[in-house]
Amino acid sequence: MALYLLAYVCTALVFLVIDAVWLTAMGDRFYKPLMGDMVLPGFRMGPAIAFYLLYVAGMVIFAVSPALANGKWTTALIFGAAFGFFAYATYDLTNQATLRNWPLVLTLVDLTWGTVLTASASTLGFLAARALHKAFFG
């Protein structure tokens, strides 16, 4: 149980740091110009926290846990990429299908970002959790 809790914490930290850098760098440059008045001046903390808690749980269940079971970082990478692709595709393609001003380039960039981010965070979360667990629990 300690290994999976450690995996959750490590994966969450990696995901949050990388995503915060991306959103800080690209929010005003990429997202706001394309999304216009759909973007809030700030963000709503409650839904953001709920997303990160749930999404990281999905990463651990669908990508990190299988990697912990077989000991291969490539499992976290591949399953993380797949989870990110399908999750971000659900969001982006639904928005493109239902919102008046959702450009194709936004879907393509965000979908690519979600895939790379989730694959990277799943892999790094797995590697960190495995190393820390070994260091503390043998």
Side-chain angles (χ1 to χ4, degrees):
M1 186 60 161
L3 177 58
Y4 291 95
L5 181 58
L6 196 55
Y8 184 92
V9 171
C10 290
T11 303
L13 289 173
V14 171
F15 188 82
L16 286 168
V17 168
I18 297 171
D19 203 34
V21 170
W22 170 262
L23 292 174
T24 299
M26 299 305 288
D28 288 337
R29 274 189 237 158
F30 179 73
Y31 290 101
K32 278 188 182 179
L34 291 173
M35 297 174 72
D37 64 355
M38 287 190 291
V39 178
L40 292 171
F43 64 93
R44 294 185 181 118
M45 188 66 76
I49 290 170
F51 164 75
Y52 284 108
L53 290 173
L54 291 168
Y55 195 79
V56 171
M59 291 168 60
V60 171
I61 291 166
F62 295 112
V64 179
S65 291
L68 290 170
N70 72 13
K72 296 179 181 179
W73 66 268
T74 53
T75 300
L77 179 74
I78 293 166
F79 284 28
F83 181 71
F85 177 81
F86 291 121
Y88 276 70
T90 300
Y91 172 77
D92 288 312
L93 294 172
T94 298
N95 285 341
Q96 193 171 3
T98 60
L99 298 177
R100 185 175 297 120
N101 297 319
W102 192 270
L104 176 60
V105 69
L106 181 54
T107 293
L108 296 175
V109 169
D110 197 57
L111 180 55
T112 301
W113 170 245
T115 302
V116 170
L117 169 62
T118 307
S120 301
S122 295
T123 304
L124 294 171
F126 160 75
L127 292 170
R130 185 176 67 174
L132 289 170
H133 190 267
K134 187 174 183 178
F136 289 110
F137 300 103

